[in-house]
């Protein structure tokens, strides 16, 4: 792997992302749904901020991504993209905003682009959504694909088991990823597949792959920020590396605050006027 330093552009674009893949520079991606988190991620140099429909789970408290609406995705994208200077912001098209017709998908992707400062959209699925990707990206909207485990289809599969474990299913996922590239996607997220399949897909594509539980050979990696910071502890897949235990930190801080109020040690003299 190359140790060349990143291009450090003023703004990360589809071109930067492609240049990073071509130069074998790993692409670092995380999710954000609000300005404070987005600003922190941007300040420390994250390349892509995904306003993911995982907002449904980790912000709204739903047990799937299905309930979040287009209007809510727009609301969160505005909060994120208004503060971000460098990272590329990508917004998930939520369930039912792109599946009915290609025209409706384009209208909804266009609405995100007109009403927010998002840099692109993401859709789940492969061959099934190739026409949608072709239309949206053909009209100039950077479009990211998503193959492997598809959270919007979770009820059909009945769970979050890894995908692509049989050669037949692996082959199907590779074909899906190729269909997305041919349709004009600028990158493809690969979720929860065996590491060797992540590698095979990455080798089969010229556009970057972004892995989440897809092994070390993808062009970049993404995690849900609330998972890697230990804020959302309801769901802990093995691919999440925990970089902090913020839920514990917050619980400790708030418990101390409550105690300080109860024992009348807060506020003290220097905290009063
Ligand atoms: O919604 C999301 O956060 C995502 C990532 C898990 C890739 O799609």
């Amino acid at each position: 792997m190359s140790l060349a330093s990143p291009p450090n552009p003023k703004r990360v674009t589809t071109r930067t992302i492609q240049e990073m893949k071509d130069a074998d520079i790993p692409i670092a991606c995380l999710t954000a749904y609000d300005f404070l988190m987005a600003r922190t991620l941007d300040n420390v140099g994250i390349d892509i901020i995904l306003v993911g429909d995982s907002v449904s789970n980790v912000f709204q408290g739903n047990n799937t991504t299905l309930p979040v609406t287009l209007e809510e995705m727009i609301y969160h994208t505005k909060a994120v993209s208004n503060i971000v200077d460098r990272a590329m912001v990508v917004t998930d098209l939520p369930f039912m905003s792109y599946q009915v017709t290609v025209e409706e998908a384009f209208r909804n992707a266009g609405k995100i682009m007109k009403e927010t400062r998002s840099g692109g959209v993401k859709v789940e699925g492969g061959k099934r959504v190739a026409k949608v990707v072709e239309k949206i990206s053909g009209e100039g909207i950077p479009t990211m694909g998503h193959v492997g485990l598809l959270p919007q289809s979770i009820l059909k599969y009945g769970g979050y088991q890894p995908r692509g474990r049989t050669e037949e299913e692996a082959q199907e996922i590779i074909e899906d990823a190729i269909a997305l590239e041919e349709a004009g996607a600028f990158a493809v997220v690969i979720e929860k597949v065996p590491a060797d399949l992540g590698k095979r897909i990455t080798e089969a594509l010229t556009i970057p792959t972004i892995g989440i539980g897809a092994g070390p050979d993808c062009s970049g990696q993404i995690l849900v920020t609330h998972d890697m910071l230990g804020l959302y502890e309801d769901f802990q897949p093995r691919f999440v590396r925990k970089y902090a235990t913020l839920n514990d930190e917050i619980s400790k801080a708030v418990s101390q605050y409550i105690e300080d109020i109860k024992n009348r040690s807060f506020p003290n003299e220097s905290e009063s006027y």
Side-chain angles (χ1 to χ4, degrees), residues 240-260:
V240 175
R241 183 179 292 179
K242 260 203 196 175
Y243 287 84
T245 50
L246 291 194
N247 193 34
D248 294 348
E249 287 294 307
I250 293 171
S251 301
K252 258 189 250 157
V254 175
S255 301
Q256 186 63 55
Y257 171 73
I258 294 169
E259 197 182 315
D260 290 353

Side-chain angles (χ1 to χ4, degrees), residues 196-210:
D196 78 298
L197 179 54
K199 184 169 192 271
R200 285 168 68 191
I201 298 170
T202 303
E203 286 170 355
L205 301 187
T206 60
I207 57 172
T209 57
I210 308 296

